[in-house]
Each structure stands twice: as C-alpha cells, then as structure tokens.
Amino acid sequence: MTSIDVQDLTKEYGTTRAVDGLTFTVRPGKVTGFLGPNGAGKSTTMRLVLGLDRPTSGTATVGGRSYAAIDEPLRHVGALLDAQAAHGSRTARHHLLALAVSNRIAVRRVDEVLEEAGLATVAGRRIKTFSLGMRQRLGIAAALLGDPRVVMLDEPSNGLDPEGIIWIRELMRRLAREGRTVLVSSHLMNETATFADHLVVLGRGKLLADTSMPDFIAAHSSPRVRLRTPSIDRLRGLLTDKGYAMAAGDDGRWTVDGAKAGEIGSIAAGHGIPLLELSDEQASLEQAYLALTADDTEFAAATPTSRQEA
Ligand SMILES: Nc1ncnc2c1ncn2[C@@H]1O[C@H](COP(=O)(O)OP(=O)(O)OP(=O)(O)O)[C@@H](O)[C@H]1O
C-alpha cells in the first residue's frame, strides 16, 4: 500500500509556524481534496512530503519512506507544485525527456503523457511561449511521466479552460480508480466537490478535518427544507408555533431551517395543508467549508460595517 503519511509535522519559518503538529494519512484508491484558506500550510506540507524543505519536527513519508530515500522518485511519486518551474527555453518534449532520462523512465512515456495532456501538437514549442493553462498541462504530464502510484497536485485547475477542468477532473477520478493515491489542493469548492472522495482541511497550519466528503458536509451544515404551498399563512403559523424559522425565497418557495422534509410533510398532512413541493436542501461543500474555516481565515476581506451612500 502506498499512502502518504504525515506525522506530528511542524514547519517554522522564523516566527511563522506554517505547519503546526499535523498528522494525517492519504490513502490509495481515492481522490483526497486538500483544502484550507490562503496561508493555511497546504503547499508547505506538499513541499515537506517531497523533501523540498526540511521539517522543524515530525515526519512526512510516502509508502513508509522519506522522499529523499526513494530511488528514481518520479517512478513512485508524481507532483505538480509550481507550473512555472520548467525551463522556458526548452521545448515541452525536451523538458519531459530530461526528466525521463534522469529517472530511467522509458522514453516512449514522453509521447504518451504529451498525448494524454493534450500537448502532442505543441510538443516542439519552447515552454516560454506556453500559456498558463498549457504550462499547467505540462506540469501534469511531468507528474504522470513515471506512472507513479502517488500523485500530488497543487491547484491543478489553475489557468485551465472549461474543457481542461473537465479533463483534469476525469484524470483524477481515473487515477483513483486505478488504485493510486491522489492528493489535490484547490480553492475551488464546487470543483473539488466534483472529484474528491475524502477531504483533509487545514487552518493556520493545523488539521481542521480529515473525513469523507459526505460526512464533512453533514457535519458542517444544518438540515434545511424547501417547500411550496398555496396555504403559506396557515403553514407558517403552525411551524412558527412549533419553533421552526421560515424564510421566503424570491421564487415563491420557502425554506425551513433545522428541519427534515419528513417532519414538515407530516405536520402539513396532519393539518390538511397541501404541499406543491417539498424537499431536503443539500448543503454544498462550499457552505460547509466556509462554516468550518470562518475562524481560520487569515486574509479575509473586512466586512463593511456601514454602507457609504453614493
Ligand atoms: N519559504 C517561506 N519562507 C517564509 N514563510 C513561508 C515560506 N513558505 C511559506 N511560508 C508561510 O507559511 C504559511 C503557509 O504557507 P503555504 O504557502 O504553505 O499556505 P497554502 O495553504 O499553500 O496557501 P495558498 O492557498 O495561499 O497557496 C504562510 O504564512 C506563508 O507566508
């Protein structure tokens, strides 16, 4: 089994504690979304796993070994950290060839990953002429070059067009289906909701959550019901008496906080109140994430306390 294991990991830069006593395991066969506000320590953790920085204390290992102890590491761990890191004066093919040769990876893999990343037709172009999205695709191609069991991608959708975003999503799902260990950081919650099975969430260098996506959403949101009825005054009176809070939507629907559709349906039926629509509202990953990280967001915009008239 090839897991990423982070154990009591701490990294200090001067007086900044970027990573603070972190412990979690990223398991194979799933896509694990790595979330957290700006400065939460996601990139630092990934850099520590890849041996690009030394921990102040604790360990970060892949398959039980530190990255530095792995021979020909690209054959075991593929990573995209900074898409700008490639030499601009090299062509895409040369960049990948150099990586392949230094890790004893079969040269045919270069064309395979160029094809897979949609770069086959521009493989002979210098990287400095590439757009951000093309660099991102090249970084992902490099991560896949050694057919690694472990893949770590830092903000892979950065700069990708809608077609590219669908491509990366399907790629990650496939890598997980193949039994690989996939860790992906992202700030795009709606996007993360489409590909992640599991979440590791950081705030100010500490672990805030390590749980499956459905459990995360259930734990950090409260139930809510949406309904439509021609007898709103009667229903509202009844529900208010029972302590429910109702709010009107702008589409003729109403929401009831802290309630399940079954409860509200029974109350309405018991009083002969017709319901034209009744459903449990699914909380989004974004709502759950914002609820969890509200206190751990270092760089939030100030909330205006008074509005200035124009
Ligand atoms: N090389 C460094 N020197 C000094 N401080 C650093 C260094 N790298 C990271 N930090 C600090 O460590 C903290 C964590 O940064 P990190 O980049 O790991 O966060 P992140 O979660 O990846 O953020 P983002 O979502 O903005 O990319 C920040 O306060 C950052 O300023």
Side-chain angles (χ1 to χ4, degrees):
M1 208 160 95
T2 314
S3 304
I4 301 170
D5 285 296
V6 168
Q7 191 68 43
D8 286 330
L9 192 67
T10 294
K11 176 67 187 177
E12 287 168 356
Y13 293 107
T15 56
T16 304
R17 190 169 272 210
V19 174
D20 191 357
L22 264 190
T23 298
F24 65 89
T25 296
V26 186
R27 296 199 160 79
K30 292 178 198 173
V31 180
T32 298
F34 198 23
L35 308 181
N38 289 134
K42 304 177 296 293
S43 302
T44 303
T45 303
M46 286 183 159
R47 290 171 55 78
L48 292 169
V49 172
L50 293 169
L52 294 171
D53 240 328
R54 277 174 170 277
T56 304
S57 61
T59 58
T61 55
V62 179
R65 285 186 291 168
S66 71
Y67 188 88
I70 303 174
D71 280 340
E72 294 152 356
L74 292 194
R75 296 161 63 117
H76 303 277
V77 186
L80 168 76
L81 281 200
D82 177 4
Q84 306 300 329
H87 268 293
S89 56
R90 283 200 179 142
T91 68
R93 179 176 279 109
H94 274 125
H95 170 65
L96 295 175
L97 266 177
L99 290 175
V101 168
S102 59
N103 280 266
R104 287 200 310 124
I105 294 167
V107 165
R108 67 170 166 75
R109 283 292 295 157
V110 170
D111 286 316
E112 285 173 13
V113 295
L114 282 166
E115 188 68 44
E116 174 149 29
L119 294 174
T121 56
V122 293
R125 268 175 54 180
R126 288 184 200 282
I127 298 167
K128 66 181 169 206
T129 70
F130 277 17
S131 67
L132 173 61
M134 290 160 81
R135 284 169 198 252
Q136 203 72 5
R137 284 169 179 269
L138 180 62
I140 292 163
L144 300 178
L145 190 64
D147 200 18
R149 300 304 299 166
V150 176
V151 178
M152 295 201 320
L153 306 173
D154 198 2
E155 299 277 348
S157 338
N158 210 358
L160 291 182
D161 56 18
E163 187 266 332
I165 289 178
I166 294 170
W167 165 71
I168 185 75
R169 175 194 311 164
E170 298 196 337
L171 173 71
M172 290 186 291
R173 300 290 330 143
R174 175 168 66 74
L175 294 171
R177 274 199 309 278
E178 291 169 353
R180 298 176 211 255
T181 304
V182 186
L183 180 66
V184 184
S185 80
S186 180
H187 285 293
L188 305 174
M189 294 303 126
N190 293 340
E191 192 42 39
T192 302
T194 66
F195 60 68
D197 307 292
H198 195 90
L199 299 173
V200 169
V201 187
L202 305 189
R204 298 179 192 263
K206 289 189 157 77
L207 188 72
L208 297 184
D210 176 1
T211 176
S212 75
M213 170 92 75
D215 287 353
F216 180 82
I217 294 175
H220 301 289
S221 59
S222 62
R224 180 187 268 193
V225 166
R226 274 157 68 89
L227 60 83
R228 217 149 51 86
T229 175
S231 310
I232 187 61
D233 290 341
R234 275 183 69 209
L235 184 64
R236 189 160 42 161
L238 256 175
L239 293 181
T240 309
D241 285 349
K242 290 183 183 293
Y244 291 105
M246 288 188 78
D250 48 14
D251 54 1
R253 292 180 174 83
W254 288 74
T255 56
V256 190
D257 280 334
K260 295 275 199 185
E263 296 159 29
I264 303 301
S266 303
I267 295 170
H271 292 81
I273 296 175
L275 294 177
L276 306 180
E277 193 180 314
L278 176 70
S279 60
D280 285 311
E281 199 172 85
Q282 291 300 316
S284 68
L285 172 61
E286 184 166 66
Q287 289 162 339
Y289 169 84
L290 291 173
L292 175 67
T293 57
D295 296 337
D296 290 281
T297 302
E298 201 172 348
F299 304 107
T303 310
T305 48
S306 65
R307 186 188 295 195
Q308 283 197 325
E309 297 299 329

Coordinates of all heavy atoms in Angstrom, one line a residue, residues 11-20 298:
K11 N 6.5 22.9 10.7 CA 7.5 23.7 9.9 C 7.4 25.1 10.3 O 6.3 25.7 10.2 CB 7.2 23.5 8.4 CG 8.2 24.4 7.6 CD 9.6 23.9 7.7 CE 10.6 24.8 7.0 NZ 12.0 24.4 7.1
E12 N 8.5 25.7 10.8 CA 8.5 27.1 11.2 C 9.4 27.8 10.2 O 10.5 27.3 9.9 CB 9.0 27.3 12.6 CG 8.0 26.8 13.6 CD 8.6 26.7 15.0 OE1 9.8 26.8 15.2 OE2 7.8 26.4 15.9
Y13 N 9.0 29.0 9.8 CA 9.8 29.9 9.0 C 10.0 31.1 9.9 O 9.1 31.9 10.0 CB 9.2 30.3 7.7 CG 9.0 29.2 6.7 CD1 7.7 28.7 6.4 CD2 10.1 28.7 6.0 CE1 7.5 27.7 5.5 CE2 9.9 27.7 5.0 CZ 8.6 27.2 4.8 OH 8.4 26.2 3.9
G14 N 11.2 31.2 10.6 CA 11.3 32.3 11.5 C 10.2 32.2 12.6 O 10.1 31.1 13.2
T15 N 9.4 33.3 12.7 CA 8.4 33.2 13.8 C 7.1 32.6 13.2 O 6.1 32.5 14.0 CB 8.1 34.6 14.4 OG1 7.8 35.5 13.3 CG2 9.3 35.1 15.1
T16 N 7.0 32.4 11.9 CA 5.8 31.8 11.3 C 5.7 30.3 11.4 O 6.6 29.6 11.0 CB 5.7 32.2 9.8 OG1 5.8 33.6 9.7 CG2 4.4 31.8 9.2
R17 N 4.7 29.8 12.1 CA 4.5 28.4 12.1 C 3.6 28.0 11.0 O 2.4 28.1 11.1 CB 4.0 28.0 13.5 CG 4.0 26.5 13.7 CD 3.7 26.2 15.1 NE 4.9 26.2 15.9 CZ 5.1 25.4 17.0 NH1 4.1 24.6 17.4 NH2 6.2 25.4 17.7
A18 N 4.2 27.6 9.8 CA 3.4 27.3 8.6 C 2.6 26.0 8.8 O 1.5 25.9 8.2 CB 4.3 27.3 7.4
V19 N 3.2 25.0 9.4 CA 2.6 23.7 9.6 C 2.8 23.4 11.1 O 3.9 23.6 11.7 CB 3.2 22.7 8.8 CG1 2.7 21.3 9.1 CG2 3.0 23.0 7.3
D20 N 1.7 23.0 11.8 CA 1.7 23.0 13.2 C 1.2 21.7 13.8 O 0.0 21.5 14.0 CB 0.8 24.2 13.7 CG 0.9 24.4 15.2 OD1 1.7 23.7 15.9 OD2 0.3 25.4 15.7
E298 N -7.0 33.7 7.6 CA -6.1 34.8 8.0 C -6.3 36.1 7.2 O -6.1 37.2 7.6 CB -4.7 34.3 7.7 CG -3.6 34.9 8.5 CD -2.3 34.2 8.4 OE1 -2.3 33.1 7.9 OE2 -1.3 34.8 8.7

